[in-house]
Amino acid sequence: MKIVMFGNYALYFIPRLVAFSEFLKSKGSTLDILEESQKNLLYENLPKVENTKLNIYHLWDSPPDLSYEKKIFYMLDKLNPDILITGFISFPYGAIGLKWAKHRHKGIIEYDDQRYNTFSRNKISIWVKSRIIRNVDAFICPAPAWDETLLKYGFKKNEIFYGLDTSDNDFWGKKVENTDFQMLPKTYFMTVGRQTTMKNLPFFLSAYKEYLNKGGKIPLVMVGNGPDHEKLLKIAGNDNRITFLDFQTRENLRQLFVRMKALILPSTKVETWGMVVNECMASGHIVAISNECGSSTTLVKDKLNGFHFNPYSERDIINALFNIEKLSDSEYFNMRQKSLEIIKDWGIDRFVSEVYSACNYAYNNRKKVNNLIDKLLIYLWKGRYNITAATK
């Protein structure tokens, strides 16, 4: 079985792709990666030792005079997979990938971690997408919490597979002997990520300042950068209990986890998962998380390995911070152990197993588009998702 994954893949996807590729080789199958955009090159962030383990191709390797759709058809015809795995039909490459698969009678799997209410949609858009997406053979989502969304889109339960957002638990769980961040406080709360609107960091930082005013004692480290950075600096003022660090390598981030008291993720519902939660838990730490964030119900169990809060409630956030500060040593230890216990089920092995099962299912259950309306919609639909507008 020959499989192509087509899309744009962030750095945290690399261990999953390498593991899946190696697993497929053991089964006599192959994996090719087709990158859609030159703005997010996977191999630029790929260690050389892992680069040789992946077959990476580019959409821009196609003849330059072709249209976007014809470039996709050209490259997929050239690679000729039995199974195409690509993003949701909201993305142009997901929409055209589906069209290619149906024209070529190939298996098609799509993946996404949006839920039904992540973005507002009108009834016409919902109807169109439902008619199109029901022709996808299998779907990979993060966890069973996404069943409601996919069932509304017309999928059957046996067409849904989990484990999209899993982490390299072995890496994050590795013991750190030394740290390069001795200048930081002996313990601290920490936020990690691109400082954009969906992260809700200015509101959180204002709540954190009020926590300090009420006698809170734990300092804060904010890791990352982005459009809201200057706003955050202004809110922080010159408070020496608040430290800003730029983006960090995953090796550095693992060091920063060592003395961290808890990860804080105050994002809105546009944060459809939050991979840093996996990474934090795999290192044996607890999380205070917005109840809108995608991973909150699957990974963070309130008062067991962290705390939930309303991201728009200053009181909720302050209470969560004080709840963590007031934990006894034994309570804190038990919560950290619970994180390790929960995250064991969400490692790379789960991604590999579930995606391989989805491939087998799609290969043996390729849907024919018999409905004329569906055929017309698949032909006309080009995708229109604007990721910049959604996350800025």
Side-chain angles (χ1 to χ4, degrees):
M1 184 163 50
K2 186 174 183 180
I3 299 164
V4 166
M5 291 188 69
F6 175 37
N8 300 310
Y9 300 100
L11 183 62
Y12 53 72
F13 242 94
I14 292 173
R16 305 176 210 172
L17 297 177
V18 171
F20 187 46
S21 179
E22 293 297 300
F23 176 82
L24 288 175
K25 288 177 185 177
S26 73
K27 297 291 184 179
S29 298
T30 60
L31 173 68
D32 292 331
I33 308 296
L34 178 59
E35 290 194 279
E36 186 267 347
S37 173
Q38 288 180 281
K39 295 178 181 178
N40 185 22
L41 292 177
L42 176 65
Y43 62 81
E44 282 192 343
N45 296 315
L46 196 62
K48 289 182 179 179
V49 68
E50 294 182 327
N51 195 11
T52 59
K53 297 179 182 178
L54 293 175
N55 301 320
I56 301 174
Y57 300 87
H58 316 103
L59 186 58
W60 55 96
D61 292 335
S62 57
D65 58 327
L66 295 181
S67 67
Y68 179 76
E69 180 173 316
K70 288 182 178 179
K71 285 178 183 289
I72 292 176
F73 268 67
Y74 176 89
M75 289 303 300
L76 290 178
D77 282 341
K78 182 178 179 180
L79 295 172
N80 192 30
D82 300 301
I83 301 292
L84 174 64
I85 306 175
T86 189
F88 192 52
I89 59 165
S90 295
F91 297 97
Y93 58 84
I96 298 169
L98 172 60
K99 183 188 296 188
W100 177 87
K102 294 307 169 183
H103 281 197
R104 301 295 189 259
H105 307 291
K106 304 288 189 175
I108 174 77
I109 300 168
E110 294 201 350
Y111 59 85
D112 199 40
D113 51 16
Q114 294 180 41
R115 293 200 223 191
Y116 202 74
N117 66 346
T118 299
F119 301 108
S120 59
R121 299 178 173 91
N122 61 48
K123 291 183 179 180
I124 294 175
S125 175
I126 292 170
W127 180 81
V128 169
K129 289 182 179 179
S130 297
R131 295 298 295 254
I132 296 172
I133 197 68
R134 68 182 185 176
N135 293 285
V136 170
D137 302 318
F139 202 94
I140 304 167
C141 65
W146 273 252
D147 283 358
E148 180 183 7
T149 293
L150 293 171
L151 292 172
K152 283 182 178 179
Y153 277 131
F155 284 96
K156 299 175 183 175
K157 188 71 170 66
N158 61 341
E159 297 170 347
I160 303 171
F161 298 83
Y162 310 116
L164 175 63
D165 294 322
T166 55
S167 54
D168 185 355
N169 290 346
D170 289 341
F171 173 85
W172 294 104
K174 187 176 180 180
K175 186 176 180 180
V176 177
E177 300 293 344
N178 299 296
T179 176
D180 297 326
F181 297 94
Q182 296 297 335
M183 72 292 191
L184 294 178
K186 64 178 182 180
T187 191
Y188 42 82
F189 294 126
M190 189 162 74
T191 65
V192 179
R194 183 165 168 76
Q195 293 164 351
T196 60
T197 300
M198 75 172 184
K199 298 291 186 180
N200 194 36
L201 291 171
F203 187 88
F204 162 73
L205 186 55
S206 295
Y208 173 76
K209 293 273 286 192
E210 186 59 27
Y211 155 81
L212 294 177
N213 290 338
K214 291 179 180 293
K217 295 181 174 61
I218 300 178
L220 172 66
V221 175
M222 304 191 79
V223 180
N225 212 317
D228 282 348
H229 187 68
E230 291 301 319
K231 187 184 296 186
L232 293 171
L233 290 176
K234 186 174 181 179
I235 295 170
N238 295 315
D239 197 319
N240 60 13
R241 293 166 292 185
I242 302 170
T243 303
F244 290 92
L245 298 176
D246 209 338
F247 290 111
Q248 301 294 316
T249 65
R250 66 179 197 153
E251 287 78 14
N252 282 353
L253 190 56
R254 186 172 60 182
Q255 292 182 34
L256 287 166
F257 283 151
V258 172
R259 298 207 304 269
M260 180 183 71
K261 186 70 173 180
L263 176 74
I264 315 295
L265 192 61
S267 304
T268 67
K269 63 183 178 181
V270 182
E271 179 83 85
T272 50
W273 184 259
M275 278 303 305
V276 70
V277 175
N278 298 60
E279 297 160 359
C280 162
M281 288 173 56
S283 73
H285 285 82
I286 70 173
V287 185
I289 189 170
S290 155
N291 55 22
E292 287 197 353
C293 189
S295 60
S296 62
T297 55
T298 299
L299 296 184
V300 183
K301 310 302 180 184
D302 193 43
K303 299 180 180 64
L304 288 179
N305 70 312
F307 296 91
H308 292 174
F309 57 81
N310 179 339
Y312 309 109
S313 168
E314 181 180 89
R315 184 176 66 178
D316 252 24
I317 294 172
I318 292 170
N319 286 342
L321 299 179
F322 274 116
N323 283 337
I324 295 168
E325 181 180 319
K326 294 174 181 177
L327 289 171
S328 68
D329 289 345
S330 61
E331 288 171 331
Y332 186 56
F333 175 82
N334 289 337
M335 292 182 79
R336 292 182 64 174
Q337 291 301 114
K338 192 65 178 179
S339 278
L340 290 171
E341 180 184 323
I342 293 170
I343 204 64
K344 281 181 181 178
D345 291 333
W346 300 95
I348 289 176
D349 288 348
R350 182 164 195 155
F351 174 85
V352 170
S353 174
E354 290 281 324
V355 176
Y356 186 64
S357 295
C359 288
N360 282 321
Y361 181 87
Y363 184 80
N364 292 304
N365 297 275
R366 282 166 279 184
K367 298 175 183 176
K368 292 182 179 180
V369 186
N370 295 317
N371 186 283
L372 291 177
I373 295 177
D374 288 11
K375 283 185 179 181
L376 180 62
L377 290 172
I378 290 172
Y379 176 77
L380 294 174
W381 181 253
K382 306 294 184 183
R384 60 181 183 182
Y385 184 79
N386 185 342
I387 192 168
T388 302
T391 59
K392 70 181 179 180

